[in-house]
């Protein structure tokens, strides 16, 4: 569970329940992450790590040669542990929107197959915020959104875009797709189609079909944030490529043509 209710303070709180067996356990923080060309997982942003088995606090030590790994001894009779930690200075776009990169919010048992390790993720949003992603929503209780279990690999490849001002726009493409957008004001999302962004992104999906001839996703989610705080950014993902443009950028033809669909075409082709 990732608690993003303090996103405006640029801090998130993570709680994991991990099934384990008694004995030595190594927990790893993702080192190799999407879009990077080196082992650059932001381990320096992980803080206040606490590990418990029931009501007992378990001491942990960092690996002497690998700062991305911590070691803990699981006591006899324990079949699960609780791991809590804080995420600093990550995921927040502005006071009104965030992009949760799951690789910043997970410690996982090392030596398990990332394709087979299943995780049931949840996010706790600030009041009245909404979210968009390629993850399947299984339920929502208040501000907590629960997603269907996915492998660790797929989770890290499935970011969540959320904001106080959010809008999902279906695309009239031959393959199922939607545009999930956030902004720093209601006007930014209300006017998102003033420069015909919906039609442009719909054509982008059709061009993708013409070029590659197949798809490896059920519904493509194009995630676009609009903020002067992050006016240019992007990252490829299998079924939810991300693009960041300036404040209300989707409604401005120059920004849309320079930083909008060209960058998403680039990330989508990845």
């Amino acid at each position: 569970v990732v608690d993003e209710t303090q996103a405006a303070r640029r801090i998130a709180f993570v709680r994991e329940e991990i099934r384990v067996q008694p004995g030595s356990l190594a927990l790893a923080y993702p080192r190799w992450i999407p879009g990077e060309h080196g082992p650059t997982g932001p381990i320096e942003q992980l803080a206040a790590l606490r590990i418990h088995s029931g009501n007992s606090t378990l001491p942990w030590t960092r690996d002497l040669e690998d700062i991305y790994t911590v070691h803990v001894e699981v006591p006899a009779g324990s079949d699960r542990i609780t791991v809590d930690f804080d995420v600093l200075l990550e995921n927040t776009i502005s006071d009104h929107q965030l992009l949760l990169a799951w690789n910043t919010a997970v410690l996982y048992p090392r030596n398990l197959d990332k394709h087979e390790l299943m995780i049931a993720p949840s996010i706790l949003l600030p009041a009245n915020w909404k979210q968009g992603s390629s993850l399947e929503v299984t339920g929502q209780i208040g501000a907590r959104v629960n997603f269907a279990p996915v492998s660790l690999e797929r989770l890290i490849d499935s970011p969540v875009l959320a904001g106080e001002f959010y809008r999902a726009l279906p695309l009239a493409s031959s393959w199922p797709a939607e545009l999930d957008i956030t902004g720093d004001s209601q006007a930014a999302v209300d006017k998102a189609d003033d420069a015909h962004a919906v039609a442009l992104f719909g054509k982008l999906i059709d061009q993708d079909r013409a070029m590659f001839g197949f798809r490896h996703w059920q519904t493509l989610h194009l995630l676009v944030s609009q903020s002067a705080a992050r006016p240019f950014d992007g990252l490829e993902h299998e079924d939810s490529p991300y693009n960041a443009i300036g404040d209300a950028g989707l409604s401005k033809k120059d920004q849309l043509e320079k930083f909008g669909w060209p960058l998403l075409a680039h990330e989508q082709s990845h």
Side-chain angles (χ1 to χ4, degrees), residues 2-225:
V2 181
D3 181 349
E4 290 279 10
T5 55
Q6 299 299 311
R9 296 175 54 216
R10 302 191 69 189
I11 185 171
F13 308 98
V14 179
R15 164 158 288 192
E16 294 183 276
E17 291 184 358
I18 304 175
R19 294 179 182 175
V20 295
Q21 295 179 348
S24 299
L25 175 67
L27 295 174
Y29 182 87
R31 179 197 294 266
W32 293 87
I33 60 176
E36 296 291 316
H37 302 283
T40 58
I43 186 69
E44 69 276 8
Q45 312 293 14
L46 185 152
L49 175 61
R50 293 91 67 200
I51 303 176
H52 293 89
S53 174
N55 295 323
S56 300
T57 299
L58 303 182
W60 58 269
T61 57
R62 193 181 298 276
D63 191 279
L64 295 178
E65 297 181 356
D66 179 9
I67 64 172
Y68 287 80
T69 299
V70 298
H71 298 279
V72 62
E73 287 293 323
V74 179
S78 295
D79 62 357
R80 68 184 59 219
I81 58 172
T82 300
V83 177
D84 294 280
F85 61 89
D86 302 346
V87 179
L88 310 176
L89 305 176
E90 288 289 330
N91 302 325
T92 300
I93 297 171
S94 73
D95 289 353
H96 304 284
Q97 48 189 316
L98 65 88
L99 183 80
L100 171 56
W102 292 99
N103 60 272
T104 70
V106 63
L107 284 170
Y108 62 94
R110 185 173 289 286
N111 301 323
L112 290 184
D113 189 333
K114 286 86 173 167
H115 301 84
E116 302 295 333
L117 177 59
M118 299 299 290
I119 298 178
S122 301
I123 184 173
L124 189 60
L125 295 171
N128 302 317
W129 283 36
K130 296 180 174 63
Q131 65 81 34
S133 77
S134 61
L135 297 171
E136 177 189 351
V137 175
T138 58
Q140 182 166 354
I141 303 174
R144 175 170 168 164
V145 182
N146 300 321
F147 302 105
V150 293
S151 69
L152 174 60
E153 180 196 40
R154 292 294 299 124
L155 180 65
I156 288 178
D157 201 28
S158 305
V160 174
L161 179 65
E164 180 180 1
F165 309 105
Y166 167 85
R167 188 179 180 189
L169 297 167
L171 301 179
S173 51
S174 54
W175 281 345
E178 75 175 44
L179 182 62
D180 296 294
I181 61 174
T182 53
D184 282 337
S185 67
Q186 188 63 49
V189 297
D190 288 345
K191 298 181 178 181
D193 199 31
D194 282 10
H196 309 294
V198 173
L200 284 172
F201 286 121
K203 291 178 180 178
L204 176 62
I205 306 303
D206 291 335
Q207 291 165 0
D208 188 71
R209 178 177 183 177
M211 177 175 291
F212 298 110
F214 70 96
R215 59 188 169 103
H216 44 76
W217 34 265
Q218 295 298 316
T219 299
L220 188 67
H221 290 256
L222 302 179
L223 310 180
V224 180
S225 65

Side-chain angles (χ1 to χ4, degrees), residues 233-252:
D233 194 7
L235 189 58
E236 65 270 16
H237 294 284
E238 182 172 359
D239 48 11
S240 53
Y242 168 65
N243 188 14
I245 59 178
D247 185 37
L250 288 175
S251 61
K252 300 172 182 177

